[in-house]
Amino acid sequence: MCVVKKAMIIVNPSSGKEEAEKNMSKVEDVLRKKGYDVIIKLTEKELDAMEFARTSCVEAFDVVVSMGGDGTLNETVNGLAGQKHCPNFGIIPMGTVNDFARALNIPLDFDKAVDLIEKGETRAVDIGKVNDRYFMNIIAVGAIAEATYQVSPKQKTLLGPVAYMIEGLKTLTSKTAYDIELKHDHGTWKGDALLVLAALTNSVGGFEKIAPDAEVDDGKLKCLVVHDVSLPKFIKIGTELLQGEHIHDDKIEYITTSKLEITSSEKLHSNIDGEEGDPLPLKIEMLPKYLVIYVP
């Protein structure tokens, strides 16, 4: 009996300056030539991508491809994670920043990204679980983190990664530190912090040196804490962050851990993969080599 291979393409029609919907037939053609029956799902509202991905697991699809930005990707990962069956995962990055794709060296060029699916080379990579949801790139806590999810779709389209930087910089005039406690593999850190980042990959907001030694398959999280410092010092640290020199600064905590708990006496929300996340407390754990992804 011939077993039919099944593939699903999840498309965010508004991604890539609305290029995703125009180009989805090219991805379909590649998959059909490889012998897959293909179904295309267009997202219309929040959580559609998650539901489509979950269906692909329940119905034992062999491949799922995400065509969209980091938001679509996060939803898709949340649909795939926690299921008994998980298809191989293809990523066609068409968003503003595409951090996860950058970390995996998946080309931002459409045709080159599609070529990866045609070639079929895969790699098992980590994802993280925070409370009851999943993430694949970054968790941030602090006023700057909260500001960045105020970036509008129009700003993302016009300015790209710079839009996040502009919103973050607006918070500097009212520089606010928060009482933070971190529990990690090596003990506890407690103090006043301007910003806490917990990164799975080396690409954060399109900048690729914030967690310079992060690996996508080592089962480890890189946690970075910026102490409560003066505004000039904070600006200096910002420059160091872009150059990868911050990990040696005595006003930075840089922690490698497989699990992390973040608590505060104040009411704080997190930013998870660029979107508004859960309020603190956060309990984060690694899921090593959890997704099988098409890579160079």
Side-chain angles (χ1 to χ4, degrees):
M1 185 177 71
C2 179
V3 178
V4 177
K5 298 189 297 180
K6 298 187 294 183
M8 179 185 290
I9 306 170
I10 299 173
V11 182
N12 181 343
S14 64
S15 290
K17 298 181 181 178
E18 302 182 353
E19 290 294 312
E21 189 172 5
K22 295 178 185 176
N23 288 295
M24 61 189 185
S25 61
K26 297 178 183 177
V27 183
E28 181 182 9
D29 289 344
V30 166
L31 288 166
R32 289 198 184 281
K33 287 176 183 176
K34 289 175 69 70
Y36 293 95
D37 275 359
V38 181
I39 183 170
I40 297 176
K41 296 285 191 179
L42 300 180
T43 63
E44 296 179 356
K45 60 186 183 302
E46 190 176 1
L47 302 184
D48 276 355
M50 184 173 73
E51 290 304 318
F52 296 151
R54 191 168 289 158
T55 297
S56 77
C57 296
V58 173
E59 297 183 3
F61 274 66
D62 300 280
V63 173
V64 167
V65 177
S66 171
M67 292 183 65
D70 286 333
T72 305
L73 192 55
N74 178 277
E75 280 196 23
T76 304
V77 167
N78 271 273
L80 297 175
Q83 306 300 314
K84 289 182 180 179
H85 168 79
C86 187
N88 283 2
F89 191 23
I91 299 171
I92 308 295
M94 306 195 76
T96 307
V97 180
N98 305 302
D99 273 324
F100 196 51
R102 289 173 187 270
L104 292 170
N105 295 316
I106 293 172
L108 303 187
D109 176 83
F110 175 82
D111 291 325
K112 291 178 181 178
V114 175
D115 285 345
L116 295 185
I117 296 170
E118 185 171 19
K119 291 174 182 175
E121 296 293 330
T122 60
R123 182 179 183 182
V125 306
D126 306 337
I127 62 171
K129 185 176 183 182
V130 51
N131 295 351
D132 294 322
R133 62 190 285 189
Y134 301 88
F135 70 104
M136 69 284 176
N137 194 57
I138 183 74
I139 293 176
V141 175
I144 293 175
E146 292 190 14
T148 56
Y149 56 65
Q150 305 299 326
V151 176
S152 70
K154 185 176 181 180
Q155 285 175 301
K156 290 180 185 179
T157 300
L158 291 174
L159 301 173
V162 177
Y164 294 101
M165 183 179 290
I166 290 170
E167 289 300 317
L169 289 172
K170 288 178 184 177
T171 68
L172 292 181
T173 54
S174 56
K175 185 177 66 69
T176 305
Y178 299 100
D179 165 45
I180 297 287
E181 181 173 333
L182 305 173
K183 293 183 179 178
H184 51 85
D185 287 351
H186 315 290
T188 300
W189 182 89
K190 189 171 183 178
D192 292 332
L194 294 171
L195 179 65
V196 177
L197 298 176
L200 293 185
T201 76
N202 68 329
S203 183
V204 178
F207 303 104
E208 299 180 10
K209 294 184 179 180
I210 290 179
D213 58 340
E215 299 288 346
V216 296
D217 58 359
D218 63 355
K220 299 296 183 182
L221 190 69
K222 302 295 180 177
C223 180
L224 183 151
V225 184
V226 180
H227 294 196
D228 184 13
V229 294
S230 67
L231 182 56
K233 176 62 176 175
F234 187 67
I235 293 171
K236 182 176 183 291
I237 287 173
T239 303
E240 292 173 350
L241 282 169
L242 300 182
Q243 297 171 346
E245 298 172 356
H246 56 287
I247 60 175
H248 307 297
D249 195 297
D250 62 359
K251 297 300 182 182
I252 294 276
E253 301 292 325
Y254 191 66
I255 303 161
T256 300
T257 183
S258 62
K259 57 185 180 296
L260 184 68
E261 292 185 33
I262 309 176
T263 58
S264 176
S265 61
E266 302 173 64
K267 291 184 178 180
L268 290 174
H269 268 76
S270 61
N271 180 312
I272 300 177
D273 285 344
E275 306 291 336
E276 184 172 358
D278 294 346
L280 271 57
L282 303 178
K283 186 175 183 180
I284 305 166
E285 61 179 304
M286 295 296 299
L287 301 176
K289 298 185 179 179
Y290 196 86
L291 292 179
V292 178
I293 299 182
Y294 294 105
V295 296

